[in-house]
Amino acid sequence: MSNESNTMEKIVALCKRRGFIFQSSEIYGGIGGFWDYGPLGVELKRNIKDAWWREMVTGHDDTSVPLGAPSAFDMVGLESTIIMHPQVWKASGHLDLFYDLFVDCKTCKARFRADQVESSECPRRPSKRPGAHDECELTEPREFNTMFKTYVGALLDPTAEVYLRPETAQGMFVNFKNVLSTSRVKVPFGIAQIGKSFRNEITPRNFTFRSREFEQMEMEFFCPPESSEAWYAYWRDRRVEWYVSLGLKSEKLHLREHGPNERAHYSCGTADIEYAYPFLPKGQFGELEGISHRGDFDLRSHIEGKLIRNGDELVVERDEDGQARHAGSGKDLSYFDDATGRKVVPHVIEPAGGIGRTALALLCEAYDEDAIPDEKGVPQERIVLRLHPRIAPVKAAVFPLVKKDGQPEVAARMYRDLKKRWNVFYDEKGSIGKRYRRQDESGTPFCITVDHQTLEDETVTLRDRDTTRQTRVRIADLESTLAEKLQS
Ligand code: GAP
């Protein structure tokens, strides 16, 4: 990892140059907090999502007890809608509580998150903290609900108001009974979902880190109350291992357990998996994923109505007539526990991560600069993305050394063969050095080059991105060699 202080600027520039990430609607000046993923970015995200889905759903073996788990368990997937019945967000508490506090400057007309005033900059020059200029006039902090509102149907009146979901989680809670009664799963089991979420962040910033439209990967794990603490510990530790398996190692990744005062009112335990993104001051970490022990809060909310804390208990919030302020569905979301012969509302453990933040952390971890000798042996600076082969957008690039002597035909044939299995790239333009450099910047782990010797002995060179070492491999062994190196 490069030590230079402007690493983040270089990563943003690389993401644009190589087609990972573009500003949304850029030709119209862009729109804050929205990002488009280009040809390489979309592959990177797809690989992260595939890795997560395999880890959580398709790779899960429900017949054995995973290492460290209290018991065997079931796991299924779900895709729920972005727009849901508005009562979902009233009962869940989002309508009342999903807000940020903001501060306006009446002079500059700029808006800041109240908790970020100290680290923000006033638009006036010279740049200072908001409120630091004599002319600045900051308002008191005010509430701002960060759910995007829209309308369903032709009438634009309050009865037609709905929200873009700010998290995928609620789709899994309201489908708990559907899944339980149709999939032959038994508690303990998890429901996993990947999908878009939307938050009207007051100050989207730090590239894609705080976006207004982003993708989440969330899993709601329904378990008996008695074993919920053990399940919380299991998922917390397992999720850290997953990030390590994708290449986030070193002192930049850590797990931070929240103190009792930091937790949400419903949480019985929360830990954040955090990464030291280069845009943060030294020693600071940003959230990648949160793992929460949510107790029975969510299912009870959707049964009874919006809950509030009363001492040690969560109770239904009532209006002056004694009615639930925001009614739940009234449906029975309990399960029958064979062990105790009782009906129980399960507790929930939730690992909730972001695809964009994972992609950003992986790009930051992978970014490196080194010097390698050119064709004449002179050291040349290079930028290289040392992405884990499992998540690299392109797995291998195939080149003919020269555009003649039958080399392009052999290379194209090899490209077509490998393409059946992996995302492979073909390039015959420019010097071989430049072609290697382009792939290094794209994070492509291997380059395969057809040269004069290929036509004599049916071997090619296989170049390793990280070491730049080249070995000769028989064409007949190429696929199996690559499969071993790519672990796929
Ligand atoms: N259901 C719980 C939940 O949504 P969260 O901590 O608010 O919890 C989970 O969000 C994850 O979603 C975060 O750890 C982060 O990776 C991602 N995320 C949240 N807000 C985001 C934003 N504005 N931009 C990008 N990712 C975000």
Side-chain angles (χ1 to χ4, degrees):
M1 183 83 201
S2 166
N3 287 324
E4 292 179 43
S5 56
N6 55 354
T7 299
M8 199 59 218
E9 279 167 35
K10 293 179 179 175
I11 293 170
V12 173
L14 173 76
C15 285
K16 170 86 192 284
R17 185 167 73 244
R18 286 287 162 234
F20 279 95
I21 302 173
F22 308 125
Q23 169 94 66
S24 165
S25 321
E26 193 186 75
I27 60 168
Y28 289 103
I31 169 167
F34 296 90
W35 298 94
D36 292 338
Y37 286 81
L40 291 186
V42 71
E43 295 299 333
L44 174 66
K45 272 179 76 183
R46 193 172 286 271
N47 292 340
I48 294 168
K49 288 188 263 187
D50 285 350
W52 187 83
W53 198 255
R54 174 121 204 99
E55 163 81 4
M56 288 299 192
V57 186
T58 47
H60 174 66
D61 167 8
D62 55 11
T63 64
S64 65
V65 182
L67 196 67
S71 70
F73 59 91
D74 292 317
M75 183 67 73
V76 290
L78 182 83
E79 186 177 307
S80 63
T81 58
I82 286 170
I83 292 177
M84 302 172 74
H85 193 292
Q87 198 62 27
V88 168
W89 307 109
K90 292 178 183 165
S92 70
H94 282 80
L95 193 68
D96 290 344
L97 300 171
F98 202 67
Y99 59 76
D100 281 335
L101 289 174
F102 71 91
V103 168
D104 279 328
C105 178
K106 290 186 185 165
T107 326
C108 315
K109 309 289 177 227
R111 177 165 284 185
F112 312 96
R113 263 174 68 144
D115 61 349
Q116 288 175 354
V117 168
E118 293 301 320
S119 59
S120 301
E121 276 187 15
C122 171
R124 282 174 180 267
R125 292 290 165 262
S127 85
K128 290 187 183 176
R129 176 180 75 70
H133 282 281
D134 290 344
E135 301 87 342
C136 287
E137 199 188 335
L138 299 185
T139 62
E140 285 301 309
R142 284 180 289 163
E143 289 176 2
F144 172 77
N145 192 303
T146 54
M147 283 199 293
F148 280 100
K149 197 186 281 184
T150 185
Y151 298 90
V152 163
L155 285 179
L156 302 189
D157 68 19
T159 60
E161 276 174 10
V162 290
Y163 303 91
L164 302 190
R165 69 179 174 201
E167 59 171 22
T168 62
Q170 297 303 322
M172 295 180 269
F173 298 133
V174 301
N175 275 296
F176 167 73
K177 206 72 192 209
N178 279 339
V179 172
L180 189 65
S181 58
T182 58
S183 340
R184 304 188 64 196
V185 294
K186 278 169 69 175
V187 174
F189 74 94
I191 307 180
Q193 168 157 231
I194 292 177
K196 287 256 173 151
S197 292
F198 302 80
R199 297 183 191 179
N200 196 1
E201 301 283 358
I202 298 169
T203 48
R205 51 152 79 169
N206 291 331
F207 199 24
T208 56
F209 182 81
R210 193 172 300 287
S211 301
R212 289 179 166 137
E213 175 177 340
F214 55 95
E215 274 186 290
Q216 290 185 306
M217 40 192 184
E218 296 196 283
M219 192 275 288
E220 307 304 329
F221 192 77
F222 302 93
C223 59
E226 315 79 70
S227 54
S228 59
E229 288 295 333
W231 283 112
Y232 169 66
Y234 168 70
W235 282 110
R236 185 196 56 197
D237 298 346
R238 179 166 160 185
R239 292 303 302 144
V240 177
E241 282 166 26
W242 185 74
Y243 287 101
V244 172
S245 77
L246 291 191
L248 290 187
K249 41 193 179 311
S250 79
E251 69 294 344
K252 290 195 165 63
L253 186 77
H254 80 182
L255 181 76
R256 188 176 65 82
E257 198 81 45
H258 286 205
N261 296 334
E262 201 187 340
R263 291 182 203 146
H265 62 292
Y266 50 78
S267 169
C268 314
T270 299
D272 285 346
I273 301 173
E274 299 181 326
Y275 182 74
Y277 292 96
F279 51 77
L280 295 168
K282 205 169 169 38
Q284 286 190 20
F285 292 76
E287 181 185 330
L288 254 182
E289 170 162 337
I291 299 99
S292 294
H293 182 323
R294 302 175 66 102
D296 58 4
F297 171 80
D298 304 283
L299 291 180
R300 271 189 61 205
S301 302
H302 288 301
I303 302 169
E304 302 169 42
K306 187 195 156 200
L307 300 175
I308 51 170
R309 184 156 285 287
N310 182 9
D312 284 346
E313 283 183 72
L314 289 167
V315 295
V316 175
E317 186 179 9
R318 302 204 176 269
D319 60 21
E320 45 294 355
D321 301 323
Q323 301 298 313
R325 201 167 98 74
H326 292 306
S329 67
K331 299 283 188 301
D332 178 9
L333 302 181
S334 61
Y335 76 103
F336 184 78
D337 186 347
D338 293 328
T340 60
R342 285 204 321 262
K343 283 178 93 175
V344 184
V345 175
H347 280 201
V348 170
I349 312 301
E350 176 195 71
I355 319 268
R357 286 196 189 173
T358 304
L360 186 57
L362 291 169
L363 286 166
C364 293
E365 181 88 22
Y367 183 88
D368 200 7
E369 295 167 4
D370 62 7
I372 53 166
D374 65 10
E375 288 92 342
K376 295 179 191 127
V378 183
Q380 299 289 335
E381 276 188 13
R382 99 172 155 152
I383 292 174
V384 53
L385 274 187
R386 302 189 192 278
L387 290 169
H388 191 292
R390 270 175 76 201
I391 48 135
V394 176
K395 305 301 181 196
V398 183
F399 310 141
L401 183 63
V402 291
K403 242 164 74 178
K404 56 181 185 183
D405 302 337
Q407 291 184 20
E409 289 76 9
V410 178
R413 218 167 28 241
M414 208 176 309
Y415 159 77
R416 276 183 227 116
D417 279 349
L418 295 173
K419 193 115 188 115
K420 289 178 194 148
R421 186 156 171 190
W422 296 292
N423 190 23
V424 179
F425 184 76
Y426 178 80
D427 192 4
E428 56 180 32
K429 295 188 205 85
S431 78
I432 192 74
K434 280 209 181 104
R435 280 181 271 167
Y436 284 149
R437 226 63 96 243
R438 201 173 297 136
Q439 293 308 316
D440 290 343
E441 283 203 357
S442 303
T444 306
F446 299 102
C447 290
I448 300 152
T449 305
V450 171
D451 56 15
H452 324 285
Q453 198 178 323
T454 309
L455 307 176
E456 289 160 16
D457 65 3
E458 305 237 312
T459 63
V460 289
T461 63
L462 185 63
R463 174 186 181 270
D464 181 297
R465 172 198 66 200
D466 295 339
T467 61
T468 74
R469 227 185 6 251
Q470 298 188 23
T471 45
R472 288 211 82 85
V473 178
R474 285 166 24 137
I475 294 176
D477 298 335
L478 191 58
E479 187 173 335
S480 58
T481 308
L482 266 183
E484 195 185 320
K485 288 181 183 289
L486 294 169
Q487 299 169 27
S488 66

